[in-house]
Amino acid sequence: MAFIKKLYDNFEEICCAFFLFVMIMCLVFQVVMRIFTGSSFAWTEELSRFAFIYAVFVATALATKKGTHVRITAQLSFFGCNGRLAFRIFSDILWIIFNLFMVYISWETIQGGLEYPEISPTLGVIKAHVEMIIPFCFLLVTWRILEVYYKHLKAGTLAELSVYEEECR
């Protein structure tokens, strides 16, 4: 059970590290092949591009989980601590709605891609399978937003979500 909890707690970190490793190894392999043979394999470029896309989408969930994503907070200086918390909750609700909308739109697009499949040129995979990372990561971001609120509610520290400057501490 401890392994599953550790895997859950570090899911995004593990995935990002794996995808970045795949991307770097593909690019290194491609450079080495060009140096020694004068040509390279086309599949390494495509796989590195897919790995990069996966790493970026998973990293959005990682940034959400850690609270390190970009938030513009200058407008909040006009509000007190309670106003900041209300604005934070409101903006996160909008964020969740946007995420769920993106899941819906991207899932419909993927269904079309599965109905009329487009095959990637060198790897020969159906691109809709590769694109499934998009709705998955938007759901993961939504899950991590809700998880942050759950943890703060459970700990009784919901007011800490409004701390952008020292005056609310």
Side-chain angles (χ1 to χ4, degrees):
M1 195 63 166
F3 172 75
I4 292 173
K5 178 165 176 25
K6 193 169 189 169
L7 182 65
Y8 174 78
D9 290 340
N10 298 304
F11 177 75
E12 292 89 348
E13 290 91 338
I14 293 166
C15 287
C16 281
F18 174 74
F19 294 133
L20 289 175
F21 175 78
V22 169
M23 181 184 72
I24 291 169
M25 288 298 105
C26 285
L27 295 174
V28 166
F29 183 65
Q30 189 174 25
V31 168
V32 168
M33 289 300 294
R34 283 185 183 174
I35 290 171
F36 289 114
T37 67
S39 66
S40 66
F41 296 108
W43 63 267
T44 57
E45 186 174 325
E46 192 169 64
L47 183 59
S48 67
R49 183 179 28 196
F50 291 160
F52 175 73
I53 291 168
Y54 272 48
V56 167
F57 274 99
V58 174
T60 60
L62 177 60
T64 302
K65 179 175 80 171
K66 300 241 182 219
T68 56
H69 52 81
V70 176
R71 271 194 196 271
I72 300 172
T73 59
Q75 75 279 11
L76 299 178
S77 62
F78 299 112
F79 299 112
C81 295
N82 290 335
R84 291 178 190 177
L85 179 60
F87 189 82
R88 165 80 185 254
I89 292 169
F90 175 72
S91 65
D92 284 344
I93 289 170
L94 287 178
W95 191 9
I96 290 170
I97 291 169
F98 172 78
N99 288 340
L100 295 176
F101 175 73
M102 289 303 295
V103 168
Y104 174 76
I105 293 297
S106 60
W107 188 250
E108 280 193 346
T109 304
I110 288 169
Q111 285 178 329
L114 291 173
E115 190 174 335
Y116 303 104
E118 180 182 352
I119 308 297
S120 68
T122 58
L123 291 176
V125 297
I126 297 172
K127 284 190 177 181
H129 292 155
V130 175
E131 294 163 352
M132 285 185 185
I133 193 71
I134 298 168
F136 173 75
C137 283
F138 275 105
L139 275 176
L140 186 58
V141 167
T142 299
W143 177 258
R144 292 303 188 182
I145 292 168
L146 294 173
E147 183 181 43
V148 166
Y149 279 96
Y150 174 76
K151 286 180 178 180
H152 280 285
L153 280 170
K154 188 176 174 185
T157 59
L158 190 61
E160 287 183 9
L161 290 175
S162 66
V163 177
Y164 297 115
E165 299 162 5
E166 292 298 320
E167 65 190 52
C168 284
R169 289 184 187 239

